[in-house]
Amino acid sequence: MFEEGFWTHPLVETAGYFSVVVLCLIVAMVIFEVVTKYKNWEEIKSGNLAVAMATGGKIFGVTNIFRFSIEQHTTLFEMIGWGLFGFVLLIFAYLLFEFLTPKFKVDEEIARDNRSVGLISMTISVGLSYVIGASIS
């Protein structure tokens, strides 16, 4: 029905990668909603800047990992697999951040709009996404 070149056309490939990454991002945000003790979108709607920064960092982190995965892999399944592996590492980093700050609870501070903690959370997500992405091979 379609020519063989249709599926390898750059516009079709780009639309495919875009669609898959957006779907994976939605799944990632649902998982982050379960992992955190606060409701991301309700807090953002009420003006909680710390939650907005932490959530923005997670969105950037996940999409950046998938950017690296798209660059490094030639099939859609490899890209998804490595991107999801990178996402798992990003969740691990978030849980490690919580564990390494015994003087306070990261989730509670972010829920209270502690912007300093929100900024550090965002920076960790963004920074580690580069490390994770660069290590995807």
Side-chain angles (χ1 to χ4, degrees), residues 96-106:
L96 190 61
F97 176 41
E98 183 79 64
F99 177 75
L100 293 175
T101 53
K103 300 236 182 221
F104 61 88
K105 300 283 186 199
V106 172

Side-chain angles (χ1 to χ4, degrees), residues 82-126:
W82 282 103
L84 291 176
F85 177 68
F87 167 68
V88 169
L89 292 176
L90 201 60
I91 288 178
F92 177 73
Y94 184 80
L95 297 173
L96 190 61
F97 176 41
E98 183 79 64
F99 177 75
L100 293 175
T101 53
K103 300 236 182 221
F104 61 88
K105 300 283 186 199
V106 172
D107 273 356
E108 290 175 11
E109 292 300 317
I110 291 174
R112 279 188 258 180
D113 201 15
N114 184 332
R115 294 168 187 182
S116 299
V117 177
L119 179 64
I120 294 299
S121 178
M122 177 181 75
T123 305
I124 288 171
S125 294
V126 170

Side-chain angles (χ1 to χ4, degrees), residues 16 18 42 55 78 84 95 104 108 129-130:
F18 174 81
E42 289 176 20
T55 303
E78 283 182 347
L84 291 176
L95 297 173
F104 61 88
E108 290 175 11
S129 76
Y130 281 98

Side-chain angles (χ1 to χ4, degrees), residues 7-77:
W7 298 110
T8 57
H9 190 279
L11 292 175
V12 175
E13 284 184 336
T14 300
Y17 282 127
F18 174 81
S19 302
V20 169
V21 171
V22 167
L23 181 61
C24 289
L25 179 61
I26 291 168
V27 170
M29 295 313 299
V30 168
I31 291 170
F32 273 126
E33 187 84 21
V34 171
V35 171
T36 56
K37 294 178 180 158
Y38 49 85
K39 301 293 181 202
N40 291 303
W41 303 110
E42 289 176 20
E43 291 291 330
I44 290 170
K45 184 179 178 187
S46 69
N48 187 325
L49 187 58
V51 172
M53 287 189 289
T55 303
K58 292 169 190 169
I59 291 169
F60 183 95
V62 169
T63 55
N64 193 39
I65 289 168
F66 274 100
R67 178 190 75 83
F68 279 100
S69 188
I70 290 169
E71 284 182 341
Q72 296 296 321
H73 299 95
T74 57
T75 70
L76 190 62
F77 292 114

